[in-house]
């Protein structure tokens, strides 16, 4: 019995060492092209990726960007591989792909609800948290209340209202400008709540004849899993007045921007950076002055073309309206004969 126990102990120790070594071993996601049956496909005839022009160093004005430390380096340090299709991909090292999707949770005022409504909402939230099966992370972020886009759009459309004279347009512009100044001078904050949903894709779940097709399959599979989780969670949370709104790629980048720029993001919005093409504030925007001025010129030309087209359409619409009124007046005159015409008929 002692010998059998000793042999069993040795076997258990060996199995434990094997499991630990296998767990610590870092293995990348297997990107070998496979068919539907999982059989590897030989892609030796494809073009070598080393000859891809997109992978070549960028040379502009006798400068190279090989020695720069871009923003992507920081993202790689914290484990972020890519941000696209409304998902954040993290590295795992265990032959799998990890994707995260954020969904903003709608807020409601509990002080405007009765005791019965609050109790019902609490029960629904309890059912939701008890039914969570996959890893779920809930975070909150204090963000400044922004109405600049809405007010600027309202200011632009107020100058093209039908039936409004110049005094009314000037008064509307003055009121909106005062509101914009108050919005910029007064800092109001609100808490934004985000739910982080997780999905893991393994090589056995996807197939593809080329690495590109395999990459598309991975993203489609991850999107399917994450969308299913958000839809299931939204079915419960919306009954408690907390509906979920998945963030797109711009929303994810905006959350990361506000996370790493807590102070500057209050005064400098990501929308303004993109709109004004001020990408030189980011270390990832390696653009020379020539490219920057060309982009600014194209944006200005596009804005002028839109304004000119709008003014031309408004003038043409006014002309068509005046012609329609004249035709109506002429028709009314012809339909109502005068007394002289009636006397001639006699």
């Amino acid at each position: 019995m002692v010998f059998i126990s000793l042999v069993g102990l040795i076997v258990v120790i060996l199995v434990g060492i094997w499991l630990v070594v296998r767990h610590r071993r870092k293995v990348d996601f297997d990107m070998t092209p496979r068919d539907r049956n999982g059989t590897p496909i030989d892609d030796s005839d494809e073009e070598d990726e080393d000859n891809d022009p997109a992978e070549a160093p960028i040379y502009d004005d006798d400068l190279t960007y090989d020695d720069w430390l871009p923003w992507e380096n920081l993202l790689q340090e914290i484990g972020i591989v890519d941000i696209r299709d409304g998902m954040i991909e993290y590295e795992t090292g265990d032959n799998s792909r990890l994707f995260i999707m954020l969904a903003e949770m709608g807020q409601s005022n509990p002080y405007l609800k009765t005791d019965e409504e609050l109790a019902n909402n609490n029960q629904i939230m309890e059912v939701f948290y008890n039914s969570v099966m996959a890893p779920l992370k809930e975070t909150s972020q204090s963000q400044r209340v922004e109405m600049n886009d809405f007010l600027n759009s309202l200011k632009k459309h107020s100058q093209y209202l039908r039936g409004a004279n110049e005094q009314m347009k000037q008064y509307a512009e003055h009121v909106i400008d005062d509101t914009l100044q108050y919005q910029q001078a007064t800092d109001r904050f609100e808490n934004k709540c985000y739910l982080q949903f997780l999905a893991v894709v393994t090589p056995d779940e996807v197939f593809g004849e080329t690495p590109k097709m395999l990459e598309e399959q991975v993203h489609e599979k991850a999107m399917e899993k994450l969308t299913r989780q958000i839809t299931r969670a939204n079915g419960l949370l919306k009954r408690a007045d907390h509906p979920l709104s998945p963030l797109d790629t711009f929303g994810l980048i905006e959350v990361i921007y506000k996370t790493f720029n807590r102070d500057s993001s209050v005064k400098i919005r990501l929308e303004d950076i993109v709109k004004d093409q001020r990408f030189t504030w980011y270390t990832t925007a390696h653009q020379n002055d020539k490219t920057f001025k060309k982009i600014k010129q194209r944006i200005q030309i596009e804005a002028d073309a839109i304004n000119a087209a709008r003014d031309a359409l408004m003038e043409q619409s006014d002309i068509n309206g005046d012609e329609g009124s004249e035709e109506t007046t002429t028709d009314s005159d012809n339909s109502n004969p005068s007394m002289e015409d009636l006397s001639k008929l006699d």
Side-chain angles (χ1 to χ4, degrees), residues 149 152 250 267-281 287 291-300 303:
D149 293 339
N152 289 326
F250 183 83
K267 298 299 182 181
I268 304 174
R269 302 185 308 162
L270 183 62
E271 295 89 340
D272 297 334
I273 295 176
V274 177
K275 186 184 300 181
D276 297 337
Q277 297 293 312
R278 297 178 181 177
F279 295 136
T280 52
W281 290 355
Q287 298 179 1
T291 304
F292 180 78
K293 293 179 180 179
K294 183 180 293 185
I295 294 175
K296 290 281 293 183
Q297 184 180 9
R298 290 183 178 181
I299 293 176
Q300 186 63 34

Side-chain angles (χ1 to χ4, degrees), residues 14 17 53 55 84 93 105 128 132 134 171 194 197 207 211 220 234 255 264 280 291 311 317 326 335 337:
L14 292 176
I17 294 174
E55 302 296 333
R84 63 188 179 96
M105 179 186 293
F128 167 72
V132 173
Y171 180 75
Y194 300 100
F197 295 88
F207 61 89
E220 291 178 0
N234 186 45
V255 171
S264 60
T280 52
T291 304
D311 295 339
S317 178
E326 292 178 358
S335 60

Side-chain angles (χ1 to χ4, degrees), residues 16 83 86 96 102-103 117 130 178 194 213 252 271 298 334:
I83 303 176
S96 63
L102 295 183
E117 291 176 344
N130 291 334
D178 290 343
Y194 300 100
M213 296 178 59
L252 294 176
E271 295 89 340
R298 290 183 178 181
N334 294 335

Side-chain angles (χ1 to χ4, degrees), residues 37-53:
N37 299 324
T39 305
I41 300 176
D42 185 12
D43 59 343
S44 58
D45 296 336
E46 294 185 358
E47 183 181 0
D48 189 2
E49 294 183 359
D50 296 337
N51 298 327
D52 188 2

Side-chain angles (χ1 to χ4, degrees), residues 131-324:
S131 61
V132 173
M133 302 297 295
L136 179 67
K137 184 177 180 181
E138 184 176 356
T139 58
S140 63
Q141 189 178 81
S142 179
Q143 298 182 5
R144 186 172 183 264
V145 179
E146 288 287 349
M147 297 181 61
N148 293 339
D149 293 339
F150 171 74
L151 293 176
N152 289 326
S153 177
L154 187 64
K155 178 181 177 180
K156 183 184 298 183
H157 291 289
S158 64
Q159 303 302 315
Y160 299 95
L161 294 177
R162 289 183 175 276
N165 52 28
E166 293 298 330
Q167 290 77 10
M168 296 176 62
K169 294 180 180 179
Q170 293 178 0
Y171 180 75
E173 185 177 0
H174 178 71
V175 172
I176 296 175
D177 287 337
D178 290 343
T179 308
L180 280 171
Q181 295 177 2
Y182 175 78
Q183 168 72 21
Q184 297 174 358
T186 305
D187 292 337
R188 295 181 299 158
F189 294 87
E190 62 179 356
N191 290 327
K192 297 287 187 178
C193 183
Y194 300 100
L195 296 183
Q196 300 183 16
F197 295 88
L198 180 147
V200 178
V201 180
T202 60
D204 298 336
E205 297 179 295
V206 294
F207 61 89
E209 298 180 356
T210 61
K212 182 178 180 180
M213 296 178 59
L214 192 61
E215 185 71 17
E216 294 177 356
Q217 288 285 332
V218 170
H219 279 260
E220 291 178 0
K221 192 67 176 180
M223 179 65 69
E224 179 184 351
K225 291 184 177 181
L226 292 171
T227 304
R228 188 185 304 114
Q229 295 181 30
I230 294 177
T231 303
R232 187 184 304 112
N234 186 45
L236 281 174
L237 293 178
K238 68 180 181 180
R239 301 178 184 178
D241 294 336
H242 296 296
L244 297 180
S245 300
L247 299 182
D248 55 4
T249 303
F250 183 83
L252 294 176
I253 298 176
E254 184 179 20
V255 171
I256 296 177
Y257 167 72
K258 293 181 179 179
T259 301
F260 288 95
N261 302 274
R262 297 295 300 162
D263 297 331
S264 60
S265 62
V266 176
K267 298 299 182 181
I268 304 174
R269 302 185 308 162
L270 183 62
E271 295 89 340
D272 297 334
I273 295 176
V274 177
K275 186 184 300 181
D276 297 337
Q277 297 293 312
R278 297 178 181 177
F279 295 136
T280 52
W281 290 355
Y282 281 128
T283 57
T284 55
H286 308 309
Q287 298 179 1
N288 56 5
D289 294 339
K290 182 179 180 180
T291 304
F292 180 78
K293 293 179 180 179
K294 183 180 293 185
I295 294 175
K296 290 281 293 183
Q297 184 180 9
R298 290 183 178 181
I299 293 176
Q300 186 63 34
I301 292 175
E302 183 178 357
D304 295 341
I306 293 175
N307 294 331
R310 183 188 294 112
D311 295 339
L313 290 175
M314 290 298 298
E315 293 178 359
Q316 185 64 31
S317 178
D318 295 339
I319 293 175
N320 295 336
D322 295 340
E323 292 178 354

